[in-house]
Amino acid sequence: MISRLRYTFREMWASLSRNLTLTFAAVITSTVSLFLFGMTLLIQEGFDNQLSEWTGGVEMIVYVKHGATPDQITYLEGALLSQTSVVQSAEYCDEACSADLATTLLAGDPGALEQLLPGIPSLFKVTPIDQGSGAVLRSLKAEFESLPNVVDVKTPDEAVETLSQLKSFFGVRTLVMSVVLLLASALLIWNTIRTAMFARRREIEVMKLVGATNWFIRLPFMLEGLLQGIAGATLGSAFLLFVNNDWTKGVRGFPDNSGLAGFVVTDSYPVWVCFAMIVLGALVGAVGSATAASRFLDV
Amino acid sequence: MIKLENVHKIYSTEVTALRDATFEIAKGEFVFLVGPSGSGKSTLLRLMNRQERPERGAVLVAGRNINDMPDAKVPYLRRNLGNIFQDYKLLANKTVFENIAFALEVIGRPRHVIRQQVPAVLDLVGLGGKQERFPHQLSGGEQQRVSIARAFVNRPLILLADEPTGNLDPATGEGIMRLLDRINKTGTTVVMATHDQRIVNMMRKRVIQLDRGTIVRDQARGVYE
Ligand SMILES: Nc1ncnc2c1ncn2[C@@H]1O[C@H](COP(=O)(O)OP(=O)(O)OP(=O)(O)O)[C@@H](O)[C@H]1O
Ligand SMILES: [Mg+2]
């Protein structure tokens, strides 16, 4: 067992270092493709954060005065829901919930957040019966504004619509691009392993003749591919974390009214994305090398 | 030990490499396969270690039909067979010791076994002091001895040799034959394909002669003709 491990790692290492150019190309391609994949996820998350008020068909937000009593809130809910031909639901989000939302939206503008939190209003997320009644809902804006304890009524502006469109535009295209690049890196790893096996065909011939099992012959090559995938993913992850950090810092320097204070990802999400990238990189490496190793090893 | 029953090997519609080959080789026998170039000698040897499969007929090794053996079992079959080739098939970037150790290592033999068995088999083939040399630092005869040591280090039941003296001068070839004879005397069955008339006549072993894929003679203590 020990001698087998020693053999496997020695051969893998020898093959890696003999094949530096190809290994380098395969690793770089995995780096770029996995970086792009991670970037896609992060950008989507950024959009989601920026648009977090408006998810689930919400088309109007009614802000309620900080410190409003339960009775006052119940009254307001009744008033909102009385518009039965337009309003489907009015979901209440209390002050703690509202603070969470603000934290996401103002992640890139800590100063503004600090000012807002002490007197934070609670809010109702109002969903119209269907998309078509959104305009009708907006026409009720003035009426809702005049209700007692309502401090503000907000409807999505053009910027929000633009962002939604951008989100789906980027989402599809960058995802397709990263899948294509991932395929390319699997192919490159496949080719690297094939080349490595071809370079060692004499050894492989001897191994087969003296009765080495196919798994024994394959294993170092498969590990080599796996390692390339993981190396690419690790580099890509490091790069992604760096870029994310840089962007977040950049957003904090934007003017206050840029409307992009929520367009950052500051929680543990990037770490999960990196984890996904490494799993994906390992998978791409394993699949690429396993196909090559099986394909060129007929008994 | 080895038994062929009505074996047909067809490479393509034009080439029938073996036609209805039937013979049996007992344990401990020494058998020459002779015949003109292209008559099917190498094909016969390759059928015996499952490098090839016949279109028809059975190849039995140690009582088992190896043609319907699952692929995953083939490596274990081969651990009981030693192969020797005209071109030695040594690995140029490994020393004599490493070449033989490699064959043990890749079938999972532990290090202490390797350290003990490699020098022993090198002594047996008469290469005691040369284990740190690389193949290019050896004569052809010495290289063939390394390849015999590699084939024999695992104490296989059968040695399959494809023209092992083909690249050697007569005196060196004779030395190799004496070595194979000694190995044969330890009980190992030896099957050797050869063109070498002199050697066949010298050894006076069983001779199976092929002509365009057909066995035309099977003679105990035979000569080349
Ligand atoms: N892999 C192959 N594909 C197609 N035809 C082959 C293959 N191997 C051998 N043959 C053909 O099968 C026949 C027998 O070949 P084989 O190599 O067994 O002959 P041989 O007796 O060993 O010849 P030699 O003395 O030249 O080594 C020949 O006609 C050869 O051309
Ligand atoms: Mg031949």
Side-chain angles (χ1 to χ4, degrees), chain A residues 19-31:
Chain A
N19 233 328
L20 267 183
T21 333
L22 275 178
T23 302
F24 190 70
V27 169
I28 291 302
T29 314
S30 332
T31 303

Side-chain angles (χ1 to χ4, degrees), chain A residues 180-257:
Chain A
V180 169
L181 273 171
L182 272 177
L183 274 177
S185 39
L187 274 178
L188 263 172
I189 289 173
W190 181 86
N191 188 45
T192 318
I193 300 307
R194 194 186 64 154
T195 310
M197 293 186 79
F198 186 75
R200 305 196 41 226
R201 62 194 179 284
R202 304 263 313 173
E203 267 112 320
I204 292 175
E205 185 190 4
V206 169
M207 286 163 89
K208 284 163 83 169
L209 281 173
V210 300
T213 59
N214 279 350
W215 272 109
F216 191 93
I217 302 175
R218 240 180 240 150
L219 201 61
F221 295 105
M222 291 185 52
L223 271 183
E224 184 181 341
L226 188 71
L227 209 69
Q228 289 172 1
I230 292 177
T234 310
L235 276 176
S237 296
F239 197 42
L240 186 74
L241 290 180
F242 173 79
V243 169
N244 186 49
N245 204 352
D246 223 32
W247 168 253
T248 306
K249 265 193 236 146
V251 167
R252 293 204 166 130
F254 281 2
D256 285 349
N257 59 355

Side-chain angles (χ1 to χ4, degrees), chain B residues 11-12 15-18 35-44 46 52 86 162-163 193-195 210:
Chain B
Y11 282 116
S12 62
V15 189
T16 302
L18 280 177
S37 185
S39 57
K41 307 182 292 294
S42 301
T43 300
L44 259 184
R46 285 204 299 272
E52 300 284 359
Q86 182 170 1
D162 198 349
E163 305 194 27
T194 186
H195 280 301
L210 289 158

Side-chain angles (χ1 to χ4, degrees), chain B residues 13-200:
Chain B
T13 44
E14 292 106 76
V15 189
T16 302
L18 280 177
R19 216 172 262 115
D20 206 21
T22 299
F23 59 80
E24 189 167 352
I25 297 173
K27 181 167 166 33
E29 253 192 295
F30 196 123
V31 180
F32 284 118
L33 303 175
V34 302
S37 185
S39 57
K41 307 182 292 294
S42 301
T43 300
L44 259 184
L45 291 175
R46 285 204 299 272
L47 285 166
M48 293 176 190
N49 65 11
R50 254 281 295 260
Q51 278 180 283
E52 300 284 359
R53 280 164 119 159
E55 271 58 45
R56 261 192 288 140
V59 179
L60 286 88
V61 174
R64 261 203 84 166
N65 187 350
I66 64 169
N67 300 321
D68 22 276
M69 183 179 268
D71 284 353
K73 289 263 169 66
V74 171
Y76 302 95
L77 163 75
R78 291 187 183 154
R79 291 176 193 191
N80 292 313
L81 307 170
N83 290 280
I84 307 164
F85 302 93
Q86 182 170 1
D87 60 358
Y88 325 128
K89 295 201 194 295
L90 298 178
L91 303 173
N93 57 342
K94 291 190 193 297
T95 65
V96 168
F97 183 95
E98 288 165 349
N99 261 282
I100 299 164
F102 183 71
L104 291 172
E105 196 180 18
V106 300
I107 59 169
R109 292 283 183 276
R111 256 227 281 218
H112 67 270
V113 171
I114 295 175
R115 268 200 295 258
Q116 175 202 332
Q117 288 191 352
V118 176
V121 80
L122 281 173
D123 280 341
L124 178 87
V125 301
L127 285 174
K130 301 188 170 156
Q131 59 178 37
E132 294 313 320
R133 298 227 197 150
F134 285 91
H136 68 89
Q137 296 167 322
L138 298 174
S139 72
E142 288 169 332
Q143 290 187 52
Q144 192 58 288
R145 281 166 193 274
V146 177
S147 107
I148 292 171
R150 182 179 64 193
F152 190 62
V153 67
N154 228 353
R155 310 288 145 156
L157 302 169
I158 302 167
L159 270 190
L160 303 173
D162 198 349
E163 305 194 27
T165 60
N167 282 348
L168 304 174
D169 64 65
T172 314
E174 270 175 38
I176 294 296
M177 289 318 296
R178 275 197 297 277
L179 177 57
L180 288 179
D181 197 29
R182 256 194 20 240
I183 286 175
N184 175 236
K185 296 239 157 68
T186 68
T188 307
T189 309
V190 178
V191 186
M192 168 171 160
T194 186
H195 280 301
D196 199 327
Q197 193 168 342
R198 226 175 33 83
I199 277 174
V200 176

